[in-house]
Amino acid sequence: MAASSPRHALREQDALWAEFLAMGSSVVGTLEKTVLAVCEGRLDLVAEVKEEEEESDRREVLIEQECLRILALYEPVASDLRRMATILKVNRDLERIADLALRVARRVRKLNRKFSAIAVPEDLKTLARNVLAQVTATYEALAARDADRARAIITGDKPIDQFYRQVRRRLRDELARDPERLDGWLLLLNSARNLERIADHASGVAETIVFLEEGSIIRHAPKSAPPASGS
């Protein structure tokens, strides 16, 4: 029995990792639908985004419970422990991405219903596409456990922050020119902010990937720092 226990523990950890990656893939799909709602006016997808966000909530709880059970039962060490810690941390990030995606989708739908004269600006659409690309790349790095790609994603967060600030300035300028529709412009400002927060979560996931593969906590390292030689 003792000899089979490590193998059994590894099988359970592998199964949990597979379920965790499946949740990640689903969250990327949810964000894709939100971006279609933003960029192409696919408001029919908002209901699907809501359903998928609720499913992400359910899966997050189940994955956390299973992760804690494995930690308590098998007391993994070294790389196995880092993998369990990664699941606990990133599981929450994924749930937050799905939640923020739903917020963006709902605000775009509300804009269309109440302020149809206000079109979604092209630079906000660009921000949405860039954030989706960042989240997709992060998921791929996670699935591949690619620390080098994760470091590139961390560096890529700075241009998204800069572009977000540009979008925010333009929206505030529009609000100043058209204060009669204050609530409409606020919906767009809030959507831009939520998109930027999604990118922040993706950067946090990338930092955790580096921890998973290298055992290094780089959370407070400068995001623009180049990868260490030989990393």
Side-chain angles (χ1 to χ4, degrees), residues 9-230:
L10 184 58
R11 284 198 298 271
E12 292 201 23
Q13 291 171 37
D14 286 345
L16 179 59
W17 182 257
E19 175 59 23
F20 164 69
L21 290 180
M23 177 181 172
S25 178
S26 177
V27 168
V28 172
T30 299
L31 183 58
E32 287 175 346
K33 291 174 183 175
T34 290
V35 173
L36 284 172
V38 172
C39 297
E40 300 181 17
R42 290 290 307 279
L43 302 181
D44 57 300
L45 296 174
V46 177
E48 292 182 31
V49 171
K50 182 177 185 299
E51 291 176 2
E52 292 173 5
E53 190 275 335
E54 291 173 349
E55 176 65 11
S56 294
D57 286 346
R58 186 189 70 82
R59 294 173 85 168
E60 183 220 358
V61 172
L62 293 176
I63 288 171
E64 180 177 332
Q65 289 175 339
E66 180 64 8
C67 190
L68 292 175
R69 185 190 70 81
I70 289 173
L71 285 169
L73 185 61
Y74 298 113
E75 298 181 351
V77 296
S79 61
D80 289 340
L81 180 59
R82 291 207 304 270
R83 183 162 65 155
M84 292 299 101
T86 295
I87 291 173
L88 280 175
K89 168 66 172 66
V90 175
N91 187 42
R92 178 60 175 160
D93 283 314
L94 293 174
E95 187 276 332
R96 290 298 297 147
I97 289 171
D99 179 64
L100 291 165
L102 176 58
R103 293 186 191 186
V104 172
R106 281 175 164 169
R107 279 154 180 75
V108 171
R109 182 176 62 186
K110 187 174 181 180
L111 181 78
N112 179 265
R113 289 175 175 176
K114 295 190 173 183
F115 305 95
S116 57
I118 300 178
V120 177
E122 287 302 318
D123 54 2
L124 181 59
K125 294 179 181 181
T126 299
L127 177 64
R129 294 187 185 103
N130 290 347
V131 169
L132 174 59
Q134 187 84 333
V135 171
T136 301
T138 301
Y139 171 75
E140 292 171 352
L142 178 65
R145 298 179 57 159
D146 187 335
D148 289 338
R149 188 168 185 183
R151 289 182 183 277
I153 290 163
I154 295 165
T155 302
D157 185 57
K158 186 174 181 179
I160 288 180
D161 286 343
Q162 293 171 336
F163 191 71
Y164 159 67
R165 288 192 289 271
Q166 174 183 317
V167 172
R168 185 179 61 186
R169 284 194 299 270
R170 289 182 180 176
L171 288 172
R172 287 179 172 175
D173 289 344
E174 292 294 338
L175 190 158
R177 283 193 288 267
D178 186 18
E180 296 293 323
R181 289 179 285 200
L182 169 67
D183 289 345
W185 296 113
L186 289 179
L187 287 171
L188 289 170
L189 278 164
N190 187 263
S191 296
R193 172 57 179 150
N194 284 330
L195 287 166
E196 189 268 341
R197 290 171 66 193
I198 289 172
D200 283 346
H201 281 288
S203 182
V205 172
E207 290 171 354
T208 307
I209 295 167
V210 175
F211 164 74
L212 170 65
E213 290 305 295
E214 301 177 1
S216 303
I217 297 174
I218 61 170
R219 189 164 54 248
H220 299 298
K223 291 187 178 182
S224 59
S229 59

